[in-house]
Amino acid sequence: MAETGAKAGAEAGAEGSAKTGAKTGVKTGAVTPRERYRAQVRTEVKEYAWKQIAEAGASALSLNAIAKQMGVSGPALYRYFAGRDELITELIRDAYRSLADAVHAAAGTGADPAGLAHVLRDWALADPHRYFLIYGTPVPGYHAPEEITGISQEIMADLLTAWTALEPDAPATPFGAHLADHRDWAGDHPAPPGVLHRALTFWTRLHGVLSLELAGHFTGMAFDPAQLFEAELADLTARRG
Amino acid sequence: MAETGAKAGAEAGAEGSAKTGAKTGVKTGAVTPRERYRAQVRTEVKEYAWKQIAEAGASALSLNAIAKQMGVSGPALYRYFAGRDELITELIRDAYRSLADAVHAAAGTGADPAGLAHVLRDWALADPHRYFLIYGTPVPGYHAPEEITGISQEIMADLLTAWTALEPDAPATPFGAHLADHRDWAGDHPAPPGVLHRALTFWTRLHGVLSLELAGHFTGMAFDPAQLFEAELADLTARRG
DNA sequence: TGTACATCAGTGAACGCGCGTTCACTGATGTAC
DNA sequence: TGTACATCAGTGAACGCGCGTTCACTGATGTAC
């Protein structure tokens, strides 16, 4: 009884879904104090989780340790999360969501690819561990649920739109043609082959520079990583077709 | 006594250094059976370590677990490694050494940058975990000893040489000029600014594509990662200055 | 507004597990004469 | 070739630790009439 109760609680509390059971994500207004409290505690747990990840890495994440920091007994957290795995999944989802929101907000104000690139870099520098949780060494045995690949596609969509606006006639390339034949990842975005190629390359190149910078591989090298980032960006946005 | 004995043993056995105490790495021929045996066991331990990393990630590396797999008691391994940290350090060093050797061997046979790129990719695909141990999410609290940054520079030197041969007059860029002012990482390699820029970009772009591929970020995307790699390589090696 | 009941948050004890590491010891292997 | 000694590999017990998770329970909070 206590067991099933805890489980049901942990699952239902995901987004503070109110009585109505609406999965729309709309705030129904009919949020009970208990639900507010649950959401608050869940948030607090995640905050401590991020601190812990920052200090000892994602694999050292421990519910017991978080409980200790919160001044609460270990088993108490099982009311809020079904277990360690659920917590990690949610952290990853939150990280993706945060990045997608940041990118989308910038895209909404008409940012061009260079603008989005800076949003990405700022987001990554603000919390390198969050970046690595998404784009770093895969957590062994972990597989992203579908929801997350969906968020990933949202980000891609914004990149594609920004590139379409900047360079709608990006020259077609052999690899662009290949991408056009395998465009599942682009959803139903109407970007032409040349733009598909640009957007994908945009992503991989920025990731290359960013991940090496964040991992500290440039620290012994004395040069300024920001300037390398700008140089790559300049190369990407320079029309040369 | 037993303690100091074990420590001394663990340190001394690093490279099967013989009586002569030569640090040259030359096989003296005067290797005692015991030293051979030690080297053999150390190698075996590392092999199991790699298997374990492949299955559960570097952070799950455990001396006890390795001992169990080897059919030996846990403390036995302390004769061969001072502790978990020394084992990890050596795995990282071995990984760097392996990559540097692969690159250097190819460079020795006159491989151009594209050739070195394929060596890198093949090396990474052969054992993704080894690649991530070097270029992935940093192990929390771990700092690479100097020896390792030295190996890293060896790799850079080969890249610089290959690029100098291919495109000695690579156009100078603003960032290339910046690199020329901060060229510690290039050792005393005489590559001109344009080549410094090329070689560094070569590295970051290939890493961008490779690391996303190895981390599985392309799996849901249907396109062929090898073709993306080739496309990036083609772009890098296409003269456009 | 007040009472009776249901729901839920959090506790503390317990389970079994594996970790890194130290230590005193046994038995085998190599070395010196 | 044989004996005496030193070196070394590996054992098993032990230390203290933290982990995830289950369970029966207490006390507080919310709900229905």
Side-chain angles (χ1 to χ4, degrees):
Chain A
M1 299 275 163
E3 166 200 347
T4 36
K7 258 186 190 162
E11 281 158 11
E15 262 313 315
S17 61
K19 286 184 175 181
T20 58
K23 266 214 156 183
T24 54
V26 187
K27 289 177 186 173
T28 59
V31 182
T32 69
R34 264 190 176 148
E35 280 165 339
R36 241 198 318 272
Y37 179 73
R38 282 187 64 77
Q40 196 176 312
V41 173
R42 282 176 70 89
T43 301
E44 196 184 349
V45 169
K46 290 194 224 164
E47 280 166 6
Y48 281 103
W50 283 115
K51 275 185 203 163
Q52 214 173 284
I53 286 176
E55 282 160 18
S59 50
L61 227 185
S62 149
L63 278 179
N64 280 317
I66 292 171
K68 194 164 290 173
Q69 281 182 289
M70 288 176 66
V72 95
S73 81
L77 298 191
Y78 282 77
R79 295 225 166 251
Y80 302 92
F81 295 91
R84 205 190 98 113
D85 278 7
E86 189 191 289
L87 174 58
I88 291 185
T89 299
E90 199 144 320
L91 292 174
I92 293 177
R93 208 209 49 182
D94 285 1
Y96 267 108
R97 188 72 267 154
S98 162
L99 176 57
D101 288 349
V103 168
H104 197 67
T109 64
D112 64 356
L116 298 188
H118 287 115
V119 166
L120 172 64
R121 182 158 196 265
D122 290 346
W123 184 88
L125 287 177
D127 192 344
H129 301 280
R130 192 174 48 177
Y131 185 87
F132 279 123
L133 192 63
I134 295 184
Y135 292 118
T137 309
V139 180
Y142 177 84
H143 288 289
E146 271 186 33
E147 185 193 356
I148 284 175
T149 57
I151 304 179
S152 194
Q153 281 193 6
E154 288 180 37
I155 299 172
M156 266 301 163
D158 280 323
L159 297 188
L160 287 167
T161 300
W163 272 103
T164 305
L166 180 73
E167 199 182 2
D169 303 320
T173 55
F175 182 65
H178 173 73
L179 282 179
D181 287 341
H182 302 86
R183 59 186 304 153
D184 316 33
W185 56 279
D188 52 359
H189 198 287
V195 171
L196 292 179
H197 190 166
R198 278 271 195 277
L200 189 63
T201 299
F202 178 79
W203 177 39
T204 64
R205 289 190 192 173
L206 297 186
H207 168 72
V209 171
L210 257 182
S211 70
L212 287 174
E213 174 183 0
L214 296 178
H217 285 279
F218 296 157
T219 48
M221 291 192 176
F223 67 82
D224 178 13
Q227 291 192 40
L228 172 56
F229 189 84
E230 295 305 328
E232 279 299 82
L233 199 47
D235 187 273
L236 276 161
T237 53
R239 285 174 180 265
R240 60 173 177 279
Chain B
M1 299 279 163
E3 166 200 348
T4 37
K7 260 187 189 161
E11 283 158 9
E15 263 312 315
S17 60
K19 285 185 174 180
T20 58
K23 264 210 159 187
T24 53
V26 187
K27 289 175 187 172
T28 59
V31 182
T32 70
R34 264 188 177 148
E35 281 166 338
R36 240 198 319 271
Y37 178 73
R38 282 187 65 78
Q40 196 176 311
V41 173
R42 282 176 72 90
T43 301
E44 195 183 349
V45 169
K46 289 194 224 164
E47 279 166 8
Y48 281 102
W50 283 115
K51 276 185 201 162
Q52 213 173 284
I53 287 177
E55 282 160 17
S59 49
L61 227 185
S62 148
L63 277 179
N64 281 315
I66 292 171
K68 194 165 290 173
Q69 281 183 290
M70 288 177 66
V72 96
S73 80
L77 298 191
Y78 281 77
R79 294 225 166 251
Y80 303 92
F81 295 92
R84 205 189 97 113
D85 277 7
E86 188 190 291
L87 175 58
I88 292 186
T89 298
E90 198 144 322
L91 292 174
I92 293 178
R93 207 210 49 179
D94 285 0
Y96 267 107
R97 187 72 269 156
S98 162
L99 176 57
D101 288 349
V103 169
H104 195 67
T109 65
D112 64 356
L116 298 187
H118 286 114
V119 167
L120 171 64
R121 181 158 196 265
D122 291 345
W123 185 87
L125 287 177
D127 191 343
H129 302 281
R130 193 173 47 176
Y131 185 87
F132 280 124
L133 192 64
I134 294 184
Y135 293 118
T137 310
V139 179
Y142 178 83
H143 286 289
E146 271 187 33
E147 185 193 357
I148 284 174
T149 57
I151 303 179
S152 194
Q153 282 194 6
E154 286 180 38
I155 299 172
M156 265 303 162
D158 280 323
L159 297 189
L160 287 168
T161 300
W163 272 105
T164 304
L166 180 72
E167 200 182 1
D169 303 319
T173 56
F175 181 65
H178 173 74
L179 281 179
D181 287 340
H182 304 84
R183 58 185 307 153
D184 317 33
W185 57 278
D188 52 359
H189 199 286
V195 170
L196 292 178
H197 191 167
R198 278 271 194 278
L200 189 63
T201 300
F202 178 79
W203 178 38
T204 64
R205 289 192 192 172
L206 297 186
H207 168 72
V209 171
L210 259 182
S211 70
L212 288 173
E213 175 183 359
L214 296 178
H217 285 280
F218 297 156
T219 49
M221 293 193 175
F223 67 81
D224 177 13
Q227 290 191 40
L228 171 56
F229 189 85
E230 294 305 326
E232 280 297 83
L233 199 47
D235 187 273
L236 276 161
T237 52
R239 286 174 180 264
R240 57 172 179 282

